[in-house]
Amino acid sequence: MNQEIEKITARINALYKKKQESGLTEAEEAERKELHKKFLENFRAGFRQQVEDLVIVNKDGKEVTSEKVKKIQRERGLRKD
């Protein structure tokens, strides 16, 4: 986890705790929503990266990676076939 995401996560957690204890101001609620949006964008980008890097092999040892993923891997220079 990089430092930016750690800071975002820490701030989201601090705002959550404050919300539970005493509530948030409108500015804090807007900040929470923006931080949550950034967190999800980063999570989705990381997840997409992992999926695009996958190579799926069946139990017989034959590669069965989808053509869509193979195309993306070729475009990124990860495949030579």
Side-chain angles (χ1 to χ4, degrees), residues 8-9 24 29 32 35-36 38 41-42 51 69 74 77:
I8 289 172
T9 303
L24 298 176
E29 184 62 30
R32 186 198 66 77
L35 290 170
H36 191 252
K38 286 181 183 179
E41 287 171 358
N42 188 279
V51 170
V69 172
R74 284 184 198 107

Side-chain angles (χ1 to χ4, degrees), residues 9-39:
T9 303
R11 183 64 180 149
I12 289 171
N13 289 337
L15 288 169
Y16 175 79
K17 184 176 179 181
K18 183 177 183 212
K19 182 178 180 179
Q20 297 299 314
E21 293 172 353
S22 61
L24 298 176
T25 64
E26 286 183 30
E28 289 170 329
E29 184 62 30
E31 177 188 8
R32 186 198 66 77
K33 286 181 181 180
E34 186 62 30
L35 290 170
H36 191 252
K37 182 180 172 183
K38 286 181 183 179
F39 179 85

